Amino acid sequence: MPLRSKMMQAAPEPTTPSTYNHINETELELNIVESKIGDDVKHAPKFTSSGFNVYLTLPAFKTLYSQLGTDGDGLGDKEKFNKPIEQACATLTLVQGAPKKVLRGGNTILTEQQQALDKLRAQMTQMVEAAFDSDKVKCAGKDKARKKAKQQLKAEGNKKPSSEEIDKIARELYIQEAHHSGIREMEWTDNGEPQEGIAIKAKRKVRGVRYVTEKDENGNEIKKRTLVPTELMFHKPHIDGNYYEYKFGDYVPRGTLLAPRVRLEYFSTPMMYGTTVKMDQDVRILWMPKKQVKRKVASAMTYFSDGEDDEESNKRARVE
């Protein structure tokens, strides 16, 4: 086969990452949504657009930490935390900022980042408020907050507080004690300098559950549970105007500007409740730092020419 034909066959195909529903442009409604997991029916607050639970496109943020796999397995934190594969997640921790090259020409990325963070932080509080206000959302944290509020009122001298008085304080306590693992304050070092700020910690499961309809030996249709790959897909723009898939190793280089698509999800367990940040599959790369080659540095040392020791030998000289 001619070399030209081989090169044409090996050319990468352009990709089409999802970019709709930008967080700073999309109108959302907060609703209590019913979902079924097996025979269990649950209700949770969700932000929807036109009735759909959507992912929101973020402006590009600076990568601080990441975990895409271990030793090239592409299975997120499976090996690190010894998780079952259906629970393993790829993780991106993103913070505000951009290199000077990107900020040239009046780029508004820093303003867009702040607007996106403000909206996400407002949404996480609104979701917890909606969860407390809805009788359909079951959460042990509500009972604990009401119990604590009742004790507080009695300690203040109100021996028989009304349910309205209890709920008013309990609602505030419920909001304050929520755990928001996806958006939180962090401290880190950058070139040896201490830094602090709000970070987005977004996750995506590397395997998803799908139910496939098959027929058994008798011809009856049965639903079979199967796992399918759902890893992140990174898209890098090219000078030709197209996006192309870009493969990282176990980590994304620190400082890389990434624009993921995310949505907040409310969760409730017997011990904890709050929100997390879940990622869609598509992540766009706006900018990457240059690869730095480690230079081999040799420590200086004194050189001595080979030869006999200058000290006199303790051995007696041989007499012929």
Side-chain angles (χ1 to χ4, degrees):
M1 183 180 294
L3 179 61
R4 180 179 176 84
S5 298
K6 289 184 178 180
M7 291 177 65
M8 291 178 65
Q9 287 184 359
E13 291 291 330
T15 60
T16 53
S18 299
T19 59
Y20 50 87
N21 292 329
H22 195 284
I23 188 170
N24 294 331
E25 301 170 358
T26 305
E27 294 185 5
L28 300 172
E29 294 182 354
L30 181 56
N31 299 302
I32 303 300
V33 179
E34 178 183 293
S35 60
K36 292 184 178 180
I37 304 176
D39 296 329
D40 295 333
V41 178
K42 292 186 177 182
H43 294 83
K46 295 182 184 293
F47 279 99
T48 61
S49 177
S50 301
F52 295 97
N53 188 21
V54 297
Y55 287 100
L56 300 172
T57 300
L58 295 182
F61 280 81
K62 189 165 62 173
T63 304
L64 181 61
Y65 305 120
S66 59
Q67 176 79 60
L68 305 180
T70 303
D71 296 331
D73 62 7
L75 298 179
D77 56 9
K78 179 183 182 298
E79 189 70 21
K80 183 177 180 180
F81 298 114
N82 195 27
K83 288 183 176 180
I85 190 169
E86 59 267 26
Q87 295 180 12
C89 294
T91 306
L92 297 177
T93 301
L94 310 171
V95 294
Q96 291 175 272
K100 293 180 180 179
K101 183 177 182 179
V102 175
L103 295 176
R104 292 172 186 166
N107 194 313
T108 60
I109 186 172
L110 299 182
T111 301
E112 293 177 20
Q113 289 174 351
Q114 187 60 56
Q115 291 173 345
L117 273 177
D118 291 343
K119 287 199 173 186
L120 287 174
R121 297 182 75 184
Q123 287 177 10
M124 72 186 192
T125 300
Q126 292 166 11
M127 292 184 85
V128 174
E129 290 173 340
F132 184 87
D133 295 339
S134 175
D135 293 334
K136 292 182 178 180
V137 179
K138 306 302 178 185
C139 176
K142 294 184 185 182
D143 297 330
K144 293 177 181 178
R146 288 190 175 100
K147 183 178 180 181
K148 193 173 181 178
K150 189 175 182 179
Q151 292 173 346
Q152 182 177 322
L153 287 166
K154 285 186 176 181
E156 293 172 354
N158 189 345
K159 301 302 181 184
K160 293 184 179 180
S162 65
S163 58
E164 291 79 11
E165 291 173 323
I166 293 173
D167 274 1
K168 182 179 180 180
I169 295 178
R171 191 175 190 268
E172 295 175 359
L173 293 172
Y174 188 75
I175 295 169
Q176 293 172 6
E177 296 177 4
H179 180 73
H180 301 290
S181 62
I183 303 172
R184 57 182 181 174
E185 294 183 5
M186 288 187 62
E187 295 180 354
W188 66 93
T189 57
D190 190 0
N191 293 324
E193 295 293 327
Q195 305 286 336
E196 61 179 17
I198 304 298
I200 299 173
K201 188 174 184 179
K203 295 186 176 185
R204 179 175 177 81
K205 288 189 175 181
V206 297
R207 291 292 182 273
V209 177
R210 299 290 184 273
Y211 288 91
V212 181
T213 302
E214 297 182 352
K215 290 186 178 181
D216 60 14
E217 296 178 353
N218 299 322
N220 300 318
E221 290 188 350
I222 56 173
K223 285 188 175 181
K224 186 177 179 181
R225 182 179 182 273
T226 184
L227 295 176
V228 296
T230 54
E231 298 100 330
L232 293 173
M233 183 174 182
F234 294 91
H235 306 263
K236 194 172 189 297
H238 191 267
I239 195 171
D240 64 5
N242 293 313
Y243 283 98
Y244 294 92
E245 184 178 5
Y246 188 90
K247 295 282 189 180
F248 288 107
D250 295 334
Y251 305 97
V252 177
R254 193 172 191 177
T256 300
L257 293 182
L258 298 178
R261 288 165 46 78
V262 303
R263 69 183 180 208
L264 289 175
E265 292 201 345
Y266 172 84
F267 75 93
S268 173
T269 68
M271 300 299 294
M272 191 183 299
Y273 63 91
T275 62
T276 60
V277 176
K278 183 178 179 181
M279 273 188 293
D280 193 13
Q281 184 179 33
D282 293 329
V283 180
R284 289 177 299 139
I285 304 169
L286 177 62
W287 178 87
M288 290 177 60
K290 289 183 178 180
K291 293 181 179 179
Q292 295 183 354
V293 179
K294 291 184 178 179
R295 297 179 179 178
K296 294 182 179 180
V297 180
S299 299
M301 62 182 297
T302 306
Y303 170 77
F304 296 95
S305 60
D306 295 337
E308 295 183 1
D309 197 338
D310 291 337
E311 295 181 3
E312 295 183 1
S313 174
N314 292 327
K315 294 183 179 180
R316 293 182 180 179
R318 184 176 178 181
V319 178
E320 295 295 338

